Amino acid sequence: MPDEEDVQASASDDESGGGVLTLGEKDSGSFLEEYEIVFEAPEGKDVQIAYRSHIQDAGWCQWSPSGSEISYAQYYGIDTVQIFLYGADAFMYDVSYRVAVAGEDWQEWVSNGEMAGVPEQHRPIEAVEIRVDLRDESSASSGSPWTLTEFGDDDGRQAMFYTMRNNVDGTLIVVDGGWEANEAQVRSVINLFGGHVDHWFLTHYDEDHASAFNAIYADPCGITIGEVYATPLDYDYYLECAEDRWWDVPFVYETFLEQTEGDERVHYLSRG
């Protein structure tokens, strides 16, 4: 196994950004096994960075803030990275990044939470380049106080997990959460934003929407939840429909009902 590499990078504190940060070394014959991104926001700006990596034969590590070390030298290298910005002024900036894998040229630039690299293809990353740029004036000046982020499911299956965060007062809204296997990612995102969900919306009770919520509700591990908004169902009719529809899995709904019975934070929504 190649020697492990310990790389740190600090982002430019120039208002406009634009500096390219490099982790690792292309064509070095060594793949990236350990790194740390230290991000310094422009003076007076509330912009923070979060990142995570997929580790060959080990899976996804969880979202971490600036200064967190990603270290998986005991496995076979990092094959995918994701990076995004958050904070009151994040709408003013784009974070872009690209990777170089062993024996190949730099891949195309991606940005704002997209995947760079390919998970589980035994193509470890040698180097990563990162840049943070100020958006054009029209984009930067039309920002909403809310940031909407869609997160993919950790095992690559179809799922739904969104966050909406108010960059002024910090209010956090979570929509669904995905499969139970996505529980760790949901926890890491919530903790990244302070560990409290003000409003959690469940659109329906399929496994790929409500299972992660059920797991976190059952064992919060320090996460707190304000209000929960859910869809009312006729249980008997749901069971009848589930007989002919493989995607309707009653135990997810049953678990939700059992766990939340009597909880005044749970509100069932209706039209009108």
Side-chain angles (χ1 to χ4, degrees):
M1 180 178 293
D3 295 335
E4 77 177 46
E5 184 160 3
D6 184 4
V7 183
Q8 296 188 19
S10 295
S12 169
D13 60 1
D14 184 351
E15 174 77 13
S16 61
V20 176
L21 317 173
T22 302
L23 307 174
E25 183 179 352
K26 185 179 179 297
D27 298 327
S28 64
S30 297
F31 51 74
L32 197 66
E33 293 178 327
E34 186 172 69
Y35 71 93
E36 178 181 1
I37 302 174
V38 179
F39 180 79
E40 298 175 3
E43 185 176 354
K45 299 297 183 183
D46 178 16
V47 185
Q48 302 175 66
I49 199 166
Y51 51 96
R52 69 172 187 162
S53 293
H54 185 274
I55 314 303
Q56 180 67 48
D57 299 329
W60 286 100
C61 58
Q62 297 310 317
W63 290 101
S64 301
S66 174
S68 301
E69 183 181 87
I70 306 297
S71 177
Y72 280 80
Q74 69 270 38
Y75 293 102
Y76 297 100
I78 294 167
D79 57 26
T80 313
V81 297
Q82 291 179 283
I83 306 172
F84 77 95
L85 301 174
Y86 63 101
D89 299 310
F91 71 92
M92 300 174 62
Y93 297 87
D94 287 309
V95 58
S96 302
Y97 43 98
R98 64 177 182 172
V99 302
V101 300
E104 298 183 18
D105 201 355
W106 289 101
Q107 295 184 4
E108 296 295 320
W109 289 93
V110 298
S111 61
N112 302 327
E114 295 178 304
M115 290 196 302
V118 183
E120 299 297 348
Q121 294 295 312
H122 294 275
R123 300 167 64 194
I125 291 171
E126 288 186 330
V128 184
E129 287 188 339
I130 308 166
R131 62 182 297 135
V132 177
D133 295 301
L134 186 66
R135 291 181 176 174
D136 63 77
E137 185 175 350
S138 60
S139 298
S141 62
S142 60
S144 164
W146 291 92
T147 298
L148 171 66
T149 306
E150 178 184 14
F151 297 89
D153 200 77
D154 269 356
D155 62 7
R157 292 182 290 178
Q158 172 183 300
M160 192 157 86
F161 170 34
Y162 287 92
T163 62
M164 290 182 284
R165 186 171 186 267
N166 188 300
N167 298 315
V168 177
D169 63 16
T171 297
L172 178 64
I173 298 173
V174 173
V175 180
D176 289 348
W179 300 85
E180 186 172 358
N182 202 46
E183 171 195 351
Q185 182 186 192
V186 178
R187 287 186 186 276
S188 71
V189 170
I190 294 171
N191 285 325
L192 192 69
F193 292 143
H196 177 72
V197 179
D198 293 276
H199 309 285
W200 200 319
F201 286 83
L202 294 176
T203 60
H204 57 292
Y205 306 98
D206 286 353
E207 281 187 277
D208 58 337
H209 290 259
S211 297
F213 169 85
N214 281 347
I216 293 172
Y217 185 95
D219 187 12
C221 294
I223 288 174
T224 56
I225 302 172
E227 308 294 327
V228 178
Y229 303 90
T231 305
L233 282 182
D234 181 315
Y235 179 67
D236 292 332
Y237 179 69
Y238 182 52
L239 289 181
E240 180 182 337
C241 292
E243 293 179 359
D244 300 318
R245 301 192 300 202
W246 61 265
W247 57 88
D248 283 331
V249 183
F251 82 83
V252 178
Y253 182 43
E254 292 166 351
T255 299
F256 174 82
L257 292 177
E258 292 171 3
Q259 292 186 159
T260 61
E261 184 178 6
D263 190 336
E264 296 182 354
R265 297 173 299 169
V266 178
H267 311 280
Y268 290 95
L269 303 179
S270 60
R271 294 181 180 180

